[in-house]
Amino acid sequence: MAYKPLRRDLTETTRRCDFCPKFLTSLKAYVLEDEESGIIAYAGPTCARDNIGANYTLAGIPDLTRFTLPNGESEGGTGGAGGSGGGTVADPNRRALEYLLLREDKLTEEMQTSYSVLRNYYVKSKTESLTDAEFRHINNIEAKAPEGLRLANLQRCYNYLFWIDVGIERLSAGKTEFLRDMRRALVDNGGLTQPQKNAVNKWLRHINGVPQLK
C-alpha cells in the first residue's frame, strides 16, 4: 500500500499518527492519500517518509503551517520547528500550490477567496501536473493581488482560524464569547490587528495544547 503526499498541515496534540501509536505533538503533520482507496492519513515525518510511494518525495509539497509557533513558544522566541520563514517560500512551484490550496479550498467558503482562473488551475492540479507557464501565471496573480489575498496573509488567516477554533472547542461554553468575536473579526476584516492578536494570545496561553499566534 503506497501513499501520495498531499501537504503539510496543522493538527492538534490529541491526534495520533495513522501509522504508529505516537501523538502528533509538533502540531504539524504530513497529510497522505492512499493511491488505491483515496483514504487520507496523517503522519509524522518518519512515518510519512516510510509510507509514501517510491516515486514521491516530501520535498516541495504545500506547507500550510508557516504561521504556527512550536507549542509553548512565544513570538520572537528561538524555537526551530515553527518558523518556516513565515509567508516566504523559496520554491515558486510550492508557493503556487499553497496559494491554490488556500484560495480554492481552505478559505473559499468563509473568506470568499475563490477566483475562476485559479479554480481551473486547482481542479487541474488535483489530477495532473501544472506547466511552468501555469505556475508562473498563478504566482503573478498572487503578486498583483490585494494585500488581503496575498499568500502570507492567507497563510496567517488559515493558521489563526485553526487555533482559534481549537481554543473554542477546549473552553467551556460560557467562556468562548471573546474568541468567537475575534474569529468573526478575522473573517470579516481578512486578519487581526496587532492588539487583537495579542489579546487572543493571552487567552490561548492558558489553553493546553494550543500555541501562540505568530
Side-chain angles (χ1 to χ4, degrees), residues 16-92:
R16 291 182 187 269
C17 175
D18 287 321
F19 301 96
C20 75
K22 294 181 179 179
F23 286 100
L24 298 168
T25 56
S26 73
L27 310 179
K28 304 168 185 183
Y30 288 93
V31 182
L32 314 179
E33 180 183 42
D34 186 311
E35 292 192 283
E36 294 183 3
S37 68
I39 292 174
I40 299 298
Y42 278 64
T46 300
C47 287
R49 284 193 298 269
D50 290 346
N51 285 279
I52 58 174
N55 55 325
Y56 295 117
T57 175
L58 297 178
I61 64 172
D63 183 352
L64 303 185
T65 72
R66 299 183 187 280
F67 282 88
T68 287
L69 290 164
N71 211 356
E73 181 180 310
S74 59
E75 190 169 22
T78 58
S84 301
T88 303
V89 189
D91 181 348

Side-chain angles (χ1 to χ4, degrees), residues 23 25 34 45 55 76-77 97 110 116 125 141 147 160 162 169 171 186 205 211 214:
F23 286 100
T25 56
D34 186 311
N55 55 325
L97 291 173
E110 280 203 290
S116 59
S125 73
I141 291 173
E147 192 60 35
Y160 286 13
F162 184 93
E169 289 175 4
L171 288 172
L186 191 160
R205 188 176 297 123
K214 180 177 178 182

Side-chain angles (χ1 to χ4, degrees), residues 106-125:
K106 297 297 186 181
L107 299 173
T108 303
E109 292 186 10
E110 280 203 290
M111 299 188 67
Q112 305 297 305
T113 54
S114 187
Y115 172 45
S116 59
V117 176
L118 295 176
R119 167 59 55 177
N120 291 336
Y121 285 144
Y122 178 66
V123 171
K124 179 181 178 180
S125 73

Side-chain angles (χ1 to χ4, degrees), residues 3 10 23 30 35 89 103 124 134 137 145 149 167 201:
Y3 287 81
L10 302 170
F23 286 100
Y30 288 93
E35 292 192 283
V89 189
R103 281 198 67 169
K124 179 181 178 180
E134 289 169 333
H137 190 202
L149 291 175
N201 277 336

